[in-house]
Amino acid sequence: MNALLDWLRGPRFDDPELNERAAVINFTLVLGLGFLSLLSVLYLTTPQLRMATLTLLPVFVILLASKALLHRGAVGAAAWLPVGTLVLAVTPLSFMAGGYDLGLPPIFVLFALMGALMLGRNVGLFLTGWAIAVQLAVYGLGSSDEWFILDADPFTILVAVTIAQTSMIGFVVSWVVGRLRDEAARARQQAKSLAENQILLEQSVREADAASQAKSRFLATMSHELRTPLNAILGYSELLLEDLASTAEHEDVERIHRSGTHLLSLVNDVLDMSKIEAGQMHLDLELVDVPGLIQESIQTIRPVATERNTTIHVDVDSTLPLLWLDRRKVRQILLNLLSNAAKFTENGRIVVKVDNAGGRLGIAISDTGIGIPSDQIDRLFRPFEQADNSSRRRHGGTGLGLTISRHFAKMMQGGIDVSSTLGEGSTFRVWIPDLSDIAHATSLQRPRVAASR
């Protein structure tokens, strides 16, 4: 029984495309054998068609031979053997024996259907047309005096109608089956193309990730190497500023220190961005005195604001408690936002409002500066971009400050948004929750107050 089931299932091949084609051919051959078996039973139970059963035996032999070829791996030969038989064997047999008397029309339909399944729609349509032509020719030669259907006897009319019906069925079935087969082939080709494109896409993503990681490592290394001598330069310049406080060279040394500080901030931005992209940036949580940190940040930015005749006003909630935060990252966010407000505001004011609504730190920094066009707001948080890239040339900066600030806020489970009116000013809002749960979960050691009130 198992052997019979294996024989009916057909062979299996390593090549998926060949295996699929063999499965279709095997299905067609098994279908043909089943159809012939039912047809044999029908002929044997019909006295007028009993002799026609003999015409089915060669067809059985042909289909079994095709099945044997398929099991031996000759897939192409197994498909073409039944088709070639139609032209080389069944057609002459029809002319020699008077086709409709032998019941050959259903066999023509069978061959047309098998041709469409195994070799495509065009082959199936060709075989159907060939079958129609052969049957008409056989009918005309065998009954030349009964070409006109109205003058024929009832049995001749029945045979003629059978020929027409089976031919039409063969044509329709061949077209439909062939169309389905062609669509299946196109679907397989599309699936194969999609699979290949998916492989190429995954490879490109891996290569892009590797290139990004390499770039980030390079930037981190170079930024570190640049920052070390810059810190030394700044340290020496601070000593010189103290020693040359009352000399003419003091202004030159101060310019050196200011330029070095600016360059160090640019290097720090690049280093932070490279760490973020490389996934090497981590939280360092501690108890932070937020009002003290706000004042410290404002004192750092105040000289820039004063130089541009801009005042800074602070409104801090006096009940704000100590919060578990990453002090360095919060300070960096404050410095970036305050620096932008000072750079783009002249003869105006900056307002810093801090509250603790619902246990969440909220910081709003508003200015009366030049504002941001509504169509440029989406670009603000992209790396190396500013609302107007020409402003980078006028005001300096890498275009990384807001990108880094948003990353830092997200790392602390918060966020940043902005609202702005061109010519009237902008407001940046930062919200960061108290991270005490994370701090306790990571078993931090004794808390330390980051800044004093």
Side-chain angles (χ1 to χ4, degrees):
M1 187 63 182
N2 290 334
L4 177 60
L5 291 176
D6 291 339
W7 184 83
L8 290 175
R9 279 194 293 263
R12 295 291 183 267
F13 301 96
D14 294 334
D15 185 357
E17 188 172 349
L18 180 63
N19 192 58
E20 186 173 350
R21 185 184 176 198
V24 172
I25 294 173
N26 182 72
F27 169 77
T28 306
L29 293 174
V30 173
L31 182 66
L33 290 169
F35 176 76
L36 287 177
S37 300
L38 293 175
L39 197 61
S40 299
V41 174
L42 177 64
Y43 284 0
L44 289 173
T45 56
T46 305
Q48 288 182 320
L49 298 175
R50 193 166 295 164
M51 291 299 296
T53 309
L54 297 175
T55 62
L56 303 181
L57 292 177
V59 184
F60 265 113
V61 173
I62 292 167
L63 296 185
L64 290 174
S66 297
K67 195 78 165 66
L69 288 172
L70 182 63
H71 280 265
R72 293 178 66 88
V75 178
W80 278 104
L81 179 60
V83 176
T85 302
L86 172 65
V87 178
L88 300 178
V90 177
T91 300
L93 183 61
S94 300
F95 281 99
M96 289 187 294
Y100 59 85
D101 291 328
L102 295 176
L104 288 175
I107 298 177
F108 277 114
V109 177
L110 173 62
F111 276 118
L113 173 61
M114 294 177 65
L117 279 171
M118 297 189 295
L119 298 171
R121 178 180 55 185
N122 294 334
V123 174
L125 294 177
F126 168 77
L127 293 178
T128 302
W130 181 269
I132 294 172
V134 169
Q135 292 174 81
L136 289 175
V138 169
Y139 177 72
L141 292 175
S143 307
S144 58
D145 58 338
E146 296 178 352
W147 266 103
F148 297 99
I149 202 70
L150 295 177
D151 298 331
D153 60 82
F155 182 72
T156 302
I157 295 175
L158 176 62
V159 172
V161 172
T162 302
I163 291 174
Q165 289 177 340
T166 53
S167 299
M168 185 58 66
I169 292 172
F171 182 85
V172 173
V173 169
S174 297
W175 189 88
V176 172
V177 171
R179 182 65 179 270
L180 291 175
R181 185 180 184 276
D182 294 344
E183 291 297 331
R186 276 194 289 270
R188 288 195 301 271
Q189 184 61 37
Q190 291 177 355
K192 183 178 179 181
S193 299
L194 288 175
E196 292 175 351
N197 292 337
Q198 181 67 22
I199 292 173
L200 292 176
L201 178 61
E202 291 176 355
Q203 182 180 354
S204 299
V205 169
R206 287 194 297 269
E207 291 175 355
D209 289 341
S212 178
Q213 293 290 333
K215 179 204 70 175
S216 298
R217 287 194 297 270
F218 171 77
L219 289 176
T221 302
M222 290 303 299
S223 299
H224 178 74
E225 295 298 326
L226 288 171
R227 193 162 56 174
T228 300
L230 272 174
N231 284 325
I233 292 173
L234 290 175
Y236 283 119
S237 64
E238 289 173 358
L239 293 176
L240 288 173
L241 284 174
E242 294 177 1
D243 294 341
L244 303 176
S246 58
T247 64
E249 289 82 6
H250 182 272
E251 183 177 349
D252 295 332
V253 176
E254 186 176 10
R255 188 178 296 112
I256 292 173
H257 185 269
R258 188 164 54 247
S259 299
T261 302
H262 177 65
L263 181 57
L264 182 60
S265 68
L266 298 181
V267 172
N268 285 336
D269 283 348
V270 174
L271 179 60
D272 287 341
M273 195 66 205
S274 65
K275 285 184 176 181
I276 290 171
E277 291 182 345
Q280 298 176 353
M281 186 67 71
H282 305 289
L283 291 177
D284 182 16
L285 299 180
E286 56 188 279
L287 278 175
V288 177
D289 174 17
V290 175
L293 184 59
I294 296 289
Q295 291 297 334
E296 177 187 330
S297 302
I298 289 175
Q299 292 304 318
T300 303
I301 298 300
R302 194 179 294 279
V304 179
T306 301
E307 185 179 337
R308 300 181 65 82
N309 196 29
T310 298
T311 59
I312 301 177
H313 302 269
V314 183
D315 180 7
V316 179
D317 185 354
S318 59
T319 63
L320 195 66
L322 299 175
L323 299 175
W324 282 98
L325 301 168
D326 187 318
R327 182 182 185 279
R328 177 185 174 278
K329 291 178 176 57
V330 175
R331 182 177 184 274
Q332 187 66 38
I333 292 172
L334 289 170
L335 289 177
N336 286 336
L337 297 181
L338 287 170
S339 175
N340 285 342
K343 283 193 300 184
F344 295 102
T345 303
E346 189 169 7
N347 299 321
R349 56 184 279 164
I350 299 171
V351 177
V352 180
K353 185 176 181 180
V354 184
D355 59 40
N356 183 36
R360 186 178 73 171
L361 173 63
I363 303 173
I365 299 177
S366 304
D367 64 64
T368 58
I370 60 176
I372 305 167
S374 58
D375 60 340
Q376 300 293 324
I377 289 179
D378 290 340
R379 299 175 53 188
L380 287 177
F381 297 98
R382 298 177 188 172
F384 305 104
E385 294 227 20
Q386 294 177 342
D388 178 4
N389 281 326
S390 62
S391 65
R392 188 185 303 170
R393 295 189 294 270
R394 295 195 303 269
H395 302 284
T398 60
L400 290 174
L402 290 177
T403 304
I404 293 171
S405 297
R406 172 168 279 185
H407 275 292
F408 284 173
K410 286 184 176 180
M411 287 181 67
M412 292 181 286
Q413 302 180 6
I416 300 177
D417 63 21
V418 58
S419 60
S420 181
T421 302
L422 188 62
E424 296 183 10
S426 306
T427 299
F428 285 82
R429 299 176 185 84
V430 184
W431 63 93
I432 303 172
D434 181 18
L435 301 178
S436 57
D437 292 342
I438 297 178
H440 295 315
T442 53
S443 300
L444 295 179
Q445 296 182 356
R446 284 174 22 185
R448 55 191 175 87
V449 176
S452 57
R453 295 182 186 269

